[in-house]
């Protein structure tokens, strides 16, 4: 699926592995804790799913777990590949989206963001990062909801 994000970049969204022509080094993690969606509050952008860039020598799965912990204090396990999208910005990049099971949330002193935010329903409005408001993210969220991964 092709779409234009809110930075006016052309993007491609893939729901099958290996379709992107770029090697992904970025991650995004969608998870729930006790029935609520796990988000983080970025100091400038607002509410968004945790994620970031893999460090040298780090697998995407390791990066996903680390980023979730650094941004929310949550421990992510049982990662499941959901999608990948490519952003054709000045420096094009690809991001892998995982669903995860959260096994606990620690109260850690130093976080990269303002920490974990749990919401019962995703009601995307001006409190949310622009990254959460494009057509690609809408399709990713629809797919995750269809998976019914978090019935408990």
């Amino acid at each position: 699926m092709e779409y234009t994000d809110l930075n006016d970049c052309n993007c491609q969204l893939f729901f099958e592995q290996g379709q992107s022509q770029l090697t992904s080094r970025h991650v995004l993690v969608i998870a729930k804790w006790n029935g609520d969606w796990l988000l983080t509050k970025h100091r400038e952008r607002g509410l968004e799913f945790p994620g970031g860039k893999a460090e040298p020598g780090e697998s995407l799965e390791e990066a996903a777990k680390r980023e979730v912990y650094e941004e929310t204090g949550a421990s992510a396990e049982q990662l499941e590949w959901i999608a990948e999208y490519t952003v054709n910005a000045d420096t094009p990049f690809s991001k892998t989206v995982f669903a995860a099971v959260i096994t606990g949330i620690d109260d850690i002193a130093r976080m990269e963001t303002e920490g974990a935010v749990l919401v019962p329903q995703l009601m995307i409005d001006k409190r949310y990062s622009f990254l959460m408001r494009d057509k690609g993210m809408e399709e990713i969220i629809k797919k995750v909801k269809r998976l019914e991964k978090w019935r408990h």
Side-chain angles (χ1 to χ4, degrees):
M1 172 189 140
E2 286 199 36
Y3 64 98
T4 301
D5 70 11
L6 297 179
N7 280 330
D8 207 30
C9 294
N10 176 268
C11 303
Q12 290 86 36
L13 173 62
F14 308 102
F15 287 115
E16 291 183 29
Q17 287 182 287
Q19 292 184 318
S20 176
Q21 294 181 353
L22 295 177
T23 300
S24 177
R25 294 304 297 153
H26 294 79
V27 295
L28 183 74
V29 181
I30 301 176
K32 282 190 168 183
W33 173 247
N34 292 333
D36 292 334
W37 295 95
L38 175 68
L39 302 170
T40 188
K41 186 174 182 190
H42 187 277
R43 289 178 176 88
E44 296 167 8
R45 294 189 301 255
L47 298 174
E48 59 192 23
F49 292 120
K53 188 173 182 179
E55 294 177 355
E58 187 177 48
S59 72
L60 291 177
E61 291 81 2
E62 290 167 335
K65 291 177 180 183
R66 177 184 50 76
E67 289 288 351
V68 169
Y69 191 77
E70 289 176 356
E71 294 184 1
T72 68
S75 297
E77 300 296 332
Q78 299 177 34
L79 296 175
E80 181 179 337
W81 189 98
I82 296 295
E84 189 168 280
Y85 62 94
T86 299
V87 178
N88 295 304
D90 290 338
T91 303
F93 65 93
S94 189
K95 186 174 281 196
T96 300
V97 181
F98 292 103
V101 172
I102 301 301
T103 58
I105 299 179
D106 295 337
D107 185 18
I108 59 177
R110 294 191 65 212
M111 288 190 204
E112 293 180 345
T113 66
E114 292 185 21
V117 177
L118 299 169
V119 297
Q121 293 183 349
L122 292 174
M123 307 271 296
I124 310 297
D125 58 28
K126 64 182 179 181
R127 298 173 302 147
Y128 286 78
S129 164
F130 71 95
L131 299 171
M132 296 285 290
R133 292 184 264 146
D134 65 32
K135 184 68 175 165
M137 186 59 65
E138 181 181 318
E139 293 300 315
I140 290 167
I141 291 169
K142 282 182 191 176
K143 179 177 181 180
V144 170
K145 285 180 177 179
R146 280 192 309 268
L147 293 175
E148 297 276 339
K149 188 171 182 74
W150 304 285
R151 292 181 184 208
H152 57 283

